[in-house]
Amino acid sequence: MKLISIAICRVDVDDSKEKDGDKSTILCQATNTSSMLIGKASYEEFARFVAREISARIELLAMKSLEYKGTICHAFRQQNGLCVCVLTDDKYPVRGAHSLVRSISREFESHFKDAQWQNAKDFEIKWSRLPVMLSTYQNPPKDKIEEIQTEVDNAKQVVVQSIEKVMNNM
């Protein structure tokens, strides 16, 4: 399980028929390259490219998880043009990533006024909370549904083993 990058983007609707998708501006981004020995800059460029492309092409009010070569981008685009993209590996829990996207969105909107980010340029917003969230959510907390599912699976395994023992004794 690995959380790779968190990006907060502003998507400006492009009405021209020539261009494919809307214009996306990355307001702020934090990328975890601590496990990389070489190619850190290209990895960060990859994270920027994916965040920019996905945020520009995702539908309004849609939570999407799109996979590319073992990297999954979880994104949500709001009506006001704000889009949060979280890049993870394929082992990171989807529910945890979606919860993180919603949490980041709420926290960002409560911390910054609309006027601050609606006219900002690429990487103009400096938010010290983003790298903290990136390190905090490397190991996402289990949500209640996952905990219940784990308990059910364990109970099911015990019942199956008990039934097998009874069948062997007959």
Side-chain angles (χ1 to χ4, degrees):
M1 271 189 308
K2 186 175 177 186
L3 178 58
I4 299 166
S5 178
I6 301 171
I8 301 172
C9 307
R10 182 190 71 240
V11 182
D12 301 318
V13 178
D14 185 6
D15 294 331
S16 70
K17 301 295 180 199
E18 301 167 8
K19 203 171 180 184
D20 187 22
D22 297 329
K23 184 181 183 304
S24 179
T25 302
I26 299 176
L27 301 173
C28 55
Q29 184 172 22
T31 304
N32 179 12
T33 58
S34 62
S35 63
M36 309 240 355
L37 298 176
I38 57 172
K40 290 183 180 187
S42 61
Y43 200 63
E44 289 173 351
E45 184 63 34
F46 168 74
R48 278 194 295 273
F49 172 77
V50 170
R52 195 179 307 274
E53 287 299 311
I54 298 298
S55 64
R57 296 171 190 264
I58 193 171
E59 303 91 33
L60 279 175
L61 302 175
M63 178 73 77
K64 296 284 186 177
S65 295
L66 306 164
E67 193 251 341
Y68 177 74
K69 293 186 179 180
T71 302
I72 300 177
C73 180
H74 308 275
F76 180 72
R77 181 173 165 187
Q78 300 177 12
Q79 285 182 323
N80 62 4
L82 192 67
C83 183
V84 176
C85 297
V86 172
L87 268 67
T88 66
D89 66 0
D90 55 355
K91 292 173 184 66
Y92 201 88
V94 174
R95 290 180 53 83
H98 288 185
S99 174
L100 177 59
V101 166
R102 286 188 293 275
S103 173
I104 291 169
S105 180
R106 279 191 306 270
E107 208 170 312
F108 183 83
E109 286 186 297
S110 69
H111 191 268
F112 294 99
K113 293 182 177 23
D114 288 354
Q116 286 179 286
W117 60 267
Q118 286 180 340
N119 296 318
K121 295 179 176 33
D122 264 347
F123 301 101
E124 197 171 274
I125 303 279
K126 303 296 181 214
W127 192 28
S128 60
R129 180 86 174 106
L130 207 55
V132 172
M133 290 178 115
L134 186 66
S135 65
T136 302
Y137 285 95
Q138 284 300 324
N139 295 315
K142 282 191 173 185
D143 65 342
K144 298 213 184 286
I145 292 176
E146 281 184 74
E147 289 175 8
I148 292 170
Q149 184 64 46
T150 302
E151 288 180 27
V152 167
D153 290 342
N154 291 340
K156 181 179 167 183
Q157 187 177 13
V158 169
V159 169
V160 167
Q161 288 174 349
S162 298
I163 291 173
E164 285 175 355
K165 286 180 183 176
V166 169
M167 296 295 284
N168 287 338
N169 290 336
M170 293 180 100

